[in-house]
Amino acid sequence: MSNAPTSLSRSRKRFMAAAASVALAGAIGIGAVAGGTAPVFAEAVRVEAPQAPGFADVVSQVSPAVVSVQVKAKIAPASDRGDSPFSDQQGFDNLPDNHPLKRFFRQFGEDGTQNRAPRSNRGDRGQMKPRPVAQGSGFFISEDGYLVTNNHVVEDGSAYTVVTDDGKEYDAKLIGTDPRTDLAVLKVEADAKFTYVGFADDAKVRVGDWVVAVGNPFGLGGTVTAGIVSARGRDIGAGPYDDFLQIDAAVNRGNSGGPAFNLNGEVVGINTAIFSPSGGNVGIAFAIPASTAKQVVQDLMKSGSVQRGWLGVEIQPVTSDIAESLGLKSEKGALVASAQDTGPAKKAGIVAGDIITGVDGQDVASPKELSRLIAGITPGKSVDITVWRNGKAETVKVGLGEIPGGDKQASADQSAEPGEPTSLADLGLTVTPSEDGKGLVVTDVDPSSEAADRGIQAGDVITSVNSVEVKGPADVSAAIEQAAKAGRKAVLFQISREDTNRFVALPVGQG
């Protein structure tokens, strides 16, 4: 009895060794026939892949709603274009004629969309002239054919063609555009019901969430890339309502106007710009948030244009120095640099130096937020504007106007001959009274001073200090002394340059 476990153990070991040999033979595909002389091929081992999550289900549902947008435009005159759409600086002209990159860029245009010009459009050397068709992306938002794309895709177009995921082509008409947000709406008139997608609540979008971009990069047709939301609230200097989502999904030329989806198949953003020193994807793309697009698109579908409220002020951020100089506890709000003469704000009594901290009870954190809040209010409506003035909060009722059609042109007329210059050495400035007696003209700036660091230049006009008008150097000294007695660490200078105003805070210690 005592030897039984040992015998069983040995038998088990022999069995396992034999099984391992069989498994190994199957793995390498070699076996042996009876007699053990001739090798044969056995069936290869097949391993089932683990079921990992992917994007295929989302893509299959939303792809029919995404389209390529082709925009016909006039061919530029020869005098307005170079011999080739690629400069020597880019290096393509220096490549051998049979180089694959050169063949690719002969077939595809500078933005990657395929050249489709007829042979009659070729130059004497067989080169393709600039194509008459620009291409981008878009997506249906209704089954009766309304679709969204970028304004920069359709601008200057004379005719529009939409190509669906299954290759069908439809003519489309332009319903309306909004250059300020770079959005446009097209409409396809056809006897068909189109697959469409809806907008997500982008307030719930978090940095790190997955996004799937679908579009028409380089004119290649339906292409899918995936990534994450890298950041929110990006300001890229594209316009007054910048509030972009930054994503790292691969977005290239031709993706413009295409959607970025969440994993529920909802549009969280519209791809509109990329950051790329090379012109191609480097993992930084910007999308218009769904909340912005949804409101603009509704207005375009309704009336073909967007009406926005207008306050009529030039504004700038509130820095820590500016907040300190005006007795504010936080850096929130928008500082009024100037109130336009014909604007609603000036009529209501808002003046340069006021800090707007609220609109109808809603806090204003920044100039961008103020712009978006005012733009979202119907022109003609009265709103309560909360301002910080003379060390306390006040409420001003303003009847909003409508944004004027043309931009205000600035005029530079500061050719007045300066008087006798005076040095404000502690500030690093040399100033002289202006000829009209309104303010001090800066004639020199110490490059190592705080004033220089904050962008004050020769030719600037100091019109006020801490909201008190100045006519001579003594007024500046008096304002600084008063601020020091009040315990302020900075004083606020109002600077005029080429008919525009801004505010600069300088430390009291410098005075």
Side-chain angles (χ1 to χ4, degrees):
M1 294 294 292
S2 60
N3 293 330
T6 301
S7 300
L8 182 61
S9 176
R10 288 174 180 171
S11 299
R12 183 177 296 166
K13 288 180 179 178
R14 287 195 297 272
F15 173 77
M16 293 176 67
S21 298
V22 172
L24 180 59
I28 63 176
I30 298 176
V33 296
T37 57
V40 296
F41 292 99
E43 183 179 355
V45 172
R46 175 181 172 85
V47 178
E48 290 294 331
Q51 296 300 311
F55 307 107
D57 291 339
V58 175
V59 172
S60 65
Q61 294 295 316
V62 303
S63 289
V66 183
V67 300
S68 298
V69 179
Q70 299 179 353
V71 182
K72 293 183 180 179
K74 295 179 180 179
I75 300 177
S79 59
D80 293 341
R81 62 174 188 265
D83 291 334
S84 169
F86 309 100
S87 65
D88 291 333
Q89 194 174 15
Q90 291 175 296
F92 295 114
D93 288 340
N94 297 325
L95 294 174
D97 288 340
N98 62 348
H99 195 284
L101 278 179
K102 197 159 189 176
R103 290 199 303 270
F104 175 84
F105 283 105
R106 283 198 191 105
Q107 180 184 7
F108 291 88
E110 183 176 7
D111 62 356
T113 55
Q114 190 168 5
N115 279 310
R116 300 182 185 273
R119 184 168 297 275
S120 60
N121 281 343
R122 296 178 184 270
D124 294 338
R125 294 175 293 169
Q127 281 187 322
M128 190 73 73
K129 292 183 180 181
R131 54 176 173 73
V133 178
Q135 299 195 43
S137 305
F139 57 97
F140 284 113
I141 55 170
S142 70
E143 69 174 9
D144 60 344
Y146 282 98
L147 64 101
V148 178
T149 186
N150 279 144
N151 172 69
H152 77 260
V153 171
V154 301
E155 65 181 347
D156 299 326
S158 59
Y160 312 94
T161 302
V162 170
V163 184
T164 57
D165 185 52
D166 57 4
K168 294 181 179 178
E169 296 189 3
Y170 299 92
D171 291 334
K173 65 178 181 180
L174 185 63
I175 300 300
T177 64
D178 182 41
R180 292 175 182 268
T181 56
D182 196 21
L183 290 169
V185 173
L186 296 170
K187 177 69 163 62
V188 172
E189 299 289 354
D191 242 351
K193 291 185 178 181
F194 297 99
T195 300
Y196 66 96
V197 290
F199 290 105
D201 180 3
D202 61 46
K204 298 179 181 178
V205 174
R206 301 176 301 168
V207 173
D209 281 349
W210 281 108
V211 288
V212 179
V214 187
N216 179 33
F218 300 117
L220 296 173
T223 300
V224 180
T225 57
I228 63 169
V229 176
S230 305
R232 293 177 55 98
R234 287 299 197 209
D235 182 351
I236 63 174
Y241 311 116
D242 281 15
D243 185 26
F244 291 101
L245 296 176
Q246 180 182 324
I247 63 176
D248 74 345
V251 172
N252 290 284
R253 295 184 181 184
N255 275 109
S256 290
F261 295 101
N262 61 19
L263 297 189
N264 294 323
E266 301 167 318
V267 178
V268 297
I270 300 172
N271 302 317
T272 190
I274 60 173
F275 174 81
S276 174
S278 64
N281 169 64
V282 296
I284 300 178
F286 303 99
I288 303 167
S291 56
T292 300
K294 186 176 182 180
Q295 182 60 53
V296 171
V297 167
Q298 287 176 347
D299 289 345
L300 292 177
M301 291 173 64
K302 183 179 179 180
S303 62
S305 62
V306 179
Q307 290 185 330
R308 294 185 172 91
W310 178 54
L311 191 57
V313 292
E314 294 178 7
I315 50 180
Q316 69 181 74
V318 178
T319 64
S320 57
D321 287 340
I322 289 175
E324 167 63 31
S325 69
L326 296 177
L328 271 175
K329 294 181 180 180
S330 68
E331 302 168 24
K332 296 181 179 180
L335 176 61
V336 178
S338 66
Q340 298 178 18
D341 290 339
T342 59
K346 187 166 186 177
K347 293 178 181 178
I350 293 177
V351 297
D354 288 344
I355 294 182
I356 298 175
T357 59
V359 177
D360 277 345
Q362 187 170 347
D363 291 341
V364 172
S366 65
K368 287 290 183 185
E369 185 170 352
L370 175 62
S371 296
R372 289 192 293 270
L373 285 173
I374 296 298
I377 301 173
T378 305
K381 182 180 178 181
S382 292
V383 294
D384 290 329
I385 304 294
T386 304
V387 300
W388 182 262
R389 178 188 297 169
N390 297 327
K392 62 181 181 179
E394 299 181 16
T395 299
V396 180
K397 188 171 287 293
V398 181
L400 298 181
E402 185 174 354
I403 295 179
D407 293 330
K408 177 178 179 287
Q409 298 293 322
S411 61
D413 185 16
Q414 295 188 11
S415 57
E417 290 294 328
E420 192 68 26
T422 301
S423 175
L424 300 174
D426 291 339
L427 291 172
L429 298 174
T430 301
V431 298
T432 184
S434 63
E435 192 175 67
D436 60 6
K438 297 179 180 179
L440 299 170
V441 178
V442 177
T443 58
D444 190 35
V445 182
D446 182 350
S448 63
S449 66
E450 294 280 353
D453 290 344
R454 285 161 170 75
I456 296 179
Q457 304 174 3
D460 289 348
V461 178
I462 302 171
T463 58
S464 71
V465 179
N466 275 4
S467 300
V468 177
E469 292 184 0
V470 295
K471 297 181 179 179
D475 296 332
V476 177
S477 299
I480 292 174
E481 184 178 352
Q482 185 177 2
K485 288 180 180 179
R488 302 278 174 81
K489 296 180 181 179
V491 287
L492 195 64
F493 285 70
Q494 183 178 358
I495 305 295
S496 175
R497 180 187 299 169
E498 296 183 351
D499 205 31
T500 62
N501 286 283
R502 69 186 186 100
F503 287 85
V504 176
L506 295 178
V508 168
Q510 293 292 315

